[in-house]
């Protein structure tokens, strides 16, 4: 079968077997910042109804923890560089969050980037390529909350064919993209030729 | 009132399969109804415009046949949930006969749509089997609601027993139709989940737990559209149509917008009717409406950022609030308030067309027409509903529901193009010195 996204949604329901008796305990989607916000929007009557008119504020990411590869690092915001590429962290031990996209826990793909190495040794995402499906990624946020994701796959792409759409285009559910370098190192340019990307979805 | 025969046809022609799947969307059989379109805008301003009896043709002979099949199934199966919920709740609360007849007819039309699709894909014999099973599950769900309303526990048990058998038969049918891509166990589990959600929403509604009833309705809608996605993939694969396009971000965006806009239309209709009926379920349907609005805002936020999402939601709130004001004014026969609501809607259309035009580069006139049409679907259906013309109300609501998929398709394409143009490009330089060189 194909269409893994739809399969994932479908089987998410299949786990909720006792639907008739456990309505409240069986949510169709992972708890997100959206649903948390809207639970406060209940209204008393038609004449007093007020539509939601602003997006829920999600806390910014503060720190990332990936137990499987011993990552426990601060998260800093990143933008777009003058050449159109995404900025990268200025410290080898930091992880950067592309703040032009959603925050971790909001619907959509939150993109986090970290270096694979420095000029003298391994950096924060040195072992990113060894992540396996199911490994947990925790994002600690400025309000003290933690959102947990599960890795679904890890892939490597030539930088010349970076999968921009797969990484940045929105999804309905909260997801993560963890990006670092990989493959061969081009000593003439001083850069790796590939990017390694780990994809993760909100853990149910 | 001028009567006209309205027939909306979603023709899904899978040329690569040598089949033409004809989906008569949301009441596709010949439907005697009379949406009074004296105030209707020109139907030609959006592609595939379906207001007022024009044919909506979704050709799957184009570049994305599997994706178009997915969208068509999302529309029809999602509508099945909304219409069946409406039918079951009609049994749970006393109401005029005309309302019941309209609810029955709407579900019947939806089933006809699905049956026609099965006929075109698999032939008459398979379609006949499907129709028998599908009608049986609708009938038993209706019977269950009748028994529930009458506190007839033995009737509920009887309907449950019948549904249990149908789950197995329908599961086997779907597994066979997908040539085993959907295993019998998986297919049965999916059908069981669908039925259990519909029963659960009715149970909750009957005991006055409207929050749970609407929660289950929403979950049932999401579950069914997910089933549509899976079935589209499996059917297309079985017919040799490539399915890789289904995972393309642009196609996934359209699928997401399909569901969000369709749910908006469905819940908006429910909320407006709840307001007119002064129903005790309004608080819950209002919360459901806001949850859908939040998801739309989140999607805009993911596409364009937080500030744009707030701007969008501010305008969207004007749209929703004006429609609710219109419904309230309809209930109280307050013509001045209705006029004020219509003025607010007209203002919304202009502002939202400007917003979406800037975001997508779609022509403002095209957006203005589409948004106006959407508002008119909603105001016209509540006008008809309030005057007791339930058949007309159902017909207009069906047209509005189908229109959402056209709008979603147009916006998804335009958004995909414009958003893609401003995303970071190329690979990230996240390496320092080559110590990980391999």
């Amino acid at each position: 079968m194909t269409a893994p996204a739809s399969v994932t949604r479908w089987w998410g329901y299949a786990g909720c077997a006792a639907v008739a008796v456990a309505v409240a305990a069986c949510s169709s989607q992972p708890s997100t910042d959206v649903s948390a916000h809207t639970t406060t929007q209940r209204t008393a009557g038609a004449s007093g109804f007020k539509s939601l008119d602003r997006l829920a504020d999600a806390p910014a990411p503060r720190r990332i923890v990936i137990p499987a590869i011993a990552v426990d690092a601060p998260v800093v915001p990143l933008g777009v560089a003058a050449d159109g590429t995404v900025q990268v962290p200025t410290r080898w031990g930091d992880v950067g969050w592309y703040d032009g996209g959603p925050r971790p826990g909001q619907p959509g793909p939150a993109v986090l980037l970290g270096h694979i190495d420095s000029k003298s040794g391994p950096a924060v995402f040195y072992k990113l390529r060894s992540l396996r499906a199911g490994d947990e990624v925790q994002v600690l946020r400025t309000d003290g909350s933690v959102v947990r994701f599960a890795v679904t796959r890890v892939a490597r792409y030539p930088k010349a064919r970076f999968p921009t759409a797969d990484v940045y285009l929105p999804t309905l559910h909260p997801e993560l993209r963890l990006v670092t370098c990989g493959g061969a190192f081009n000593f003439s340019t001083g850069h790796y030729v590939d990017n390694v990307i780990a994809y993760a979805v909100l853990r149910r | 009132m001028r009567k006209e025969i309205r027939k909306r046809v979603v023709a899904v022609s899978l040329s690569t399969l040598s089949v033409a799947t004809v989906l008569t969307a949301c009441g596709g059989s010949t439907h005697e109804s009379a949406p009074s379109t004296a105030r209707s805008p020109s139907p030609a301003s959006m592609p595939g415009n379906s207001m007022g009896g024009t044919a909506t043709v979704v050709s799957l002979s184009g570049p994305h046949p599997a994706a178009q099949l997915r969208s068509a199934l999302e529309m029809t199966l999602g509508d099945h949930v909304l219409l069946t919920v409406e039918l079951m709740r009609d049994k749970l609360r006393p109401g005029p006969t005309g309302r019941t007849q309209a609810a029955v007819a709407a579900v019947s039309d939806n089933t006809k749509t699905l049956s026609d699709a099965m006929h075109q894909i698999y032939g008459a014999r398979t379609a006949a089997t499907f129709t028998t099973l599908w009608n049986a599950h609708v009938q038993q769900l209706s019977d269950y609601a009748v028994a529930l309303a009458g506190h007839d526990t033995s009737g509920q048990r009887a309907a449950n027993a019948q549904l249990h058998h149908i789950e197995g038969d329908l599961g086997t049918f779907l597994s066979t139709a997908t040539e085993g891509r959907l295993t019998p166990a998986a297919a049965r589990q999916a059908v069981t989940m669908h039925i259990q959600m519909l029963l659960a929403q009715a149970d909750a509604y009957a005991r006055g737990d409207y929050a749970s009833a609407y929660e289950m309705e929403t979950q049932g809608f999401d579950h069914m559209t997910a089933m549509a996605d899976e079935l589209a993939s499996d059917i297309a694969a079985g017919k040799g149509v490539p399915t890789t396009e289904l995972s393309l971000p642009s196609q996934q965006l359209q699928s997401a917008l399909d569901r969000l806009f369709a749910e908006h239309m469905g819940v908006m209709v429910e909320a407006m009717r709840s307001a007119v009926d002064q129903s005790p379920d309004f608080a819950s349907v209002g919360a459901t409406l806001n949850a859908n609005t939040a998801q739309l805002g989140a999607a805009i936020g993911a596409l364009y950022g937080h500030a744009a999402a707030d701007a969008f939601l501010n305008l969207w709130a004007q749209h929703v609030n004006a429609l609710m004001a219109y419904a309230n004014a309809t209930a109280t026969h307050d013509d001045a308030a209705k006029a004020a609501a219509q003025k607010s809607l007209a203002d919304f259309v202009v502002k939202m067309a400007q917003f979406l035009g800037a975001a997508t580069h779609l022509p403002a006139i095209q957006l203005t027409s589409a948004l106006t049409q959407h508002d008119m679907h909603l105001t016209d259906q509540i006008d008809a509903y309030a005057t007791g013309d339930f058949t007309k109300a159902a017909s207009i609501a069906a047209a509005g529901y189908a229109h959402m998929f056209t709008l979603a398709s147009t916006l998804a394409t335009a958004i995909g193009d414009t958003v893609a143009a401003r995303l970071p490009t190329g690979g990230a330089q996240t390496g320092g010195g080559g110590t990980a060189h391999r």
Side-chain angles (χ1 to χ4, degrees):
Chain A
M1 285 187 210
T2 57
S6 65
V7 171
T8 300
R9 276 200 296 136
W10 193 350
W11 297 119
Y13 293 101
C16 303
V19 141
V21 293
V23 169
C26 182
S27 174
S28 64
Q29 297 172 9
S31 175
T32 69
D33 296 313
V34 170
S35 59
H37 180 76
T38 55
T39 53
T40 64
Q41 299 296 318
R42 298 191 183 280
T43 53
S47 60
F49 177 80
K50 293 293 180 193
S51 177
L52 187 78
D53 62 1
R54 65 180 178 83
L55 189 63
D57 286 322
R62 183 177 63 81
R63 200 164 187 87
I64 183 171
V65 176
I66 312 175
I69 54 173
V71 167
D72 183 351
V75 175
V76 298
L78 301 172
V80 177
D83 65 356
T85 62
V86 67
Q87 292 176 334
V88 295
T90 55
R91 297 172 185 268
W92 305 116
D94 287 355
V95 172
W97 159 63
Y98 170 60
D99 69 2
R103 296 177 173 187
Q106 282 186 316
V111 182
L112 299 168
L113 306 99
H115 291 285
I116 188 171
D117 64 4
S118 67
K119 297 186 184 306
S120 58
V124 64
F125 274 176
Y126 184 78
K127 295 181 179 176
L128 192 73
R129 62 178 178 265
S130 64
L131 283 175
R132 297 287 179 266
D135 285 345
E136 182 167 284
V137 180
Q138 303 164 10
V139 179
L140 288 62
R141 305 190 291 186
T142 51
D143 66 345
S145 63
V146 180
V147 278
R148 300 171 192 276
F149 298 84
V151 172
T152 55
R153 64 190 171 101
V154 180
R156 197 175 83 189
Y157 309 88
K159 289 180 180 175
R161 295 199 296 275
F162 186 84
T164 297
D166 281 351
V167 171
Y168 293 105
L169 277 185
T171 58
L172 259 192
H173 303 300
E175 297 186 9
L176 275 190
R177 310 283 188 256
L178 307 176
V179 181
T180 192
C181 280
F185 188 77
N186 184 330
F187 288 91
S188 63
T189 63
H191 296 303
Y192 286 89
V193 298
D194 294 339
N195 276 126
V196 172
I197 303 172
Y199 297 80
V201 298
L202 200 64
R203 189 178 279 284
R204 292 177 184 274
Chain B
M1 184 184 301
R2 183 173 62 89
K3 289 280 184 182
E4 64 182 37
I5 302 297
R6 190 175 64 85
K7 184 174 186 178
R8 288 174 299 102
V9 177
V10 177
V12 183
S13 60
L14 289 162
S15 63
T16 53
L17 314 183
S18 300
V19 296
T21 305
V22 179
L23 296 180
T24 47
C26 318
S29 62
T30 305
H31 193 137
E32 296 276 2
S33 63
S36 176
T37 55
R39 293 186 296 122
S40 295
S42 164
S45 51
M46 286 289 283
N49 196 319
S50 62
M51 182 66 176
T54 54
T56 297
V57 178
V58 178
S59 171
L60 289 192
S61 59
H64 301 296
Q68 290 195 257
L69 176 61
R70 175 169 68 181
S71 186
L73 289 179
E74 285 173 345
M75 176 164 62
T76 312
L77 290 173
D79 206 22
H80 163 73
V81 171
L82 297 174
L83 296 173
T84 304
V85 165
E86 184 179 350
L87 175 66
M88 294 178 79
R89 291 182 187 171
D90 180 78
K91 310 292 184 190
L92 298 174
R93 54 195 176 110
T97 304
R99 193 185 71 191
T100 303
Q101 290 171 337
V104 170
V107 173
S108 177
D109 285 347
N110 176 264
T111 298
K112 175 75 165 52
T113 300
L114 285 168
S115 299
D116 287 347
M118 285 293 168
H119 189 176
Q120 294 299 326
I121 295 173
Y122 296 114
R125 188 173 175 181
T126 301
T129 302
F130 169 81
T131 305
T132 299
L133 291 171
W134 199 257
N135 276 332
H137 106 284
V138 171
Q139 183 61 55
Q140 292 303 325
L141 287 167
S142 176
D143 287 352
Y144 180 89
V146 170
L148 182 62
H151 307 289
D152 173 9
T153 52
S154 65
Q156 289 175 251
R157 278 198 300 272
N160 258 324
Q162 289 297 319
L163 286 166
H164 184 70
H165 288 301
I166 294 167
E167 287 164 8
D169 292 344
L170 205 46
T172 301
F173 173 88
L174 291 174
S175 181
T176 304
T178 57
E179 300 176 18
R181 288 174 175 80
L182 198 54
T183 66
R188 176 172 186 142
Q189 196 168 18
V191 174
T192 299
M193 185 60 61
H194 165 61
I195 288 173
Q196 289 301 313
M197 286 174 169
L198 288 170
L199 294 176
Q201 67 81 25
D203 288 339
Y205 201 91
R207 66 174 180 267
D209 181 1
Y210 303 118
S212 294
Y214 279 98
E215 172 70 15
M216 292 312 302
E217 178 186 346
T218 301
Q219 290 192 22
F221 180 84
D222 288 347
H223 172 255
M224 203 55 165
T225 51
M227 275 185 71
D229 294 357
E230 183 65 25
L231 287 172
S233 176
D234 292 341
I235 290 171
K239 298 296 181 182
V241 171
T243 58
T244 51
E245 68 183 30
L246 294 175
S247 59
L248 291 175
S250 58
Q251 295 302 332
Q252 290 188 341
L253 175 61
Q254 177 176 338
S255 179
L257 292 181
D258 278 349
R259 288 193 293 275
L260 288 175
F261 281 128
E263 188 182 11
H264 164 70
M265 182 71 193
V267 178
M268 197 74 236
V269 166
E270 290 177 322
M272 294 177 78
R273 293 180 183 180
S274 176
V276 166
D277 290 339
Q278 299 182 320
S279 169
D281 70 359
F282 184 81
S284 297
V285 70
T288 305
L289 189 56
N290 269 333
N292 171 262
T293 295
Q295 287 194 322
L296 275 168
I300 296 297
L303 289 160
Y304 294 105
H306 199 291
D310 278 348
F312 170 85
L313 285 175
N314 190 265
L315 292 173
W316 196 255
Q318 181 177 347
H319 163 63
V320 173
N321 286 335
L323 286 165
M324 290 313 306
Y326 188 92
N328 288 326
T330 301
T332 57
H333 308 287
D334 185 341
D335 289 341
K338 284 181 78 168
Q342 286 179 309
K343 186 177 179 183
S344 181
L345 287 172
D347 182 61
F348 151 77
V349 164
V350 172
K351 291 176 180 173
M352 185 58 92
Q354 289 173 341
F355 176 89
L356 292 176
T360 64
H361 305 312
L362 285 170
I365 189 170
Q366 183 181 6
L367 289 162
T368 299
S369 176
L371 292 167
T372 300
Q373 194 172 4
H374 170 54
D375 283 343
M376 291 184 66
H377 282 135
L378 286 163
T379 54
D380 287 353
Q381 67 83 26
I382 202 62
D383 283 342
Y385 185 87
T387 57
D389 192 344
F390 300 106
T391 299
K392 180 179 174 183
S395 175
I396 298 171
Y401 179 82
H403 179 243
M404 290 288 89
F405 287 80
T406 303
L407 185 60
S409 174
T410 303
L411 286 177
T413 301
I415 288 172
D417 291 346
T418 52
V419 170
R422 64 172 182 75
L423 293 176
T425 57
Q429 304 297 8
T430 41
T435 57
H437 171 74
R438 56 185 50 220

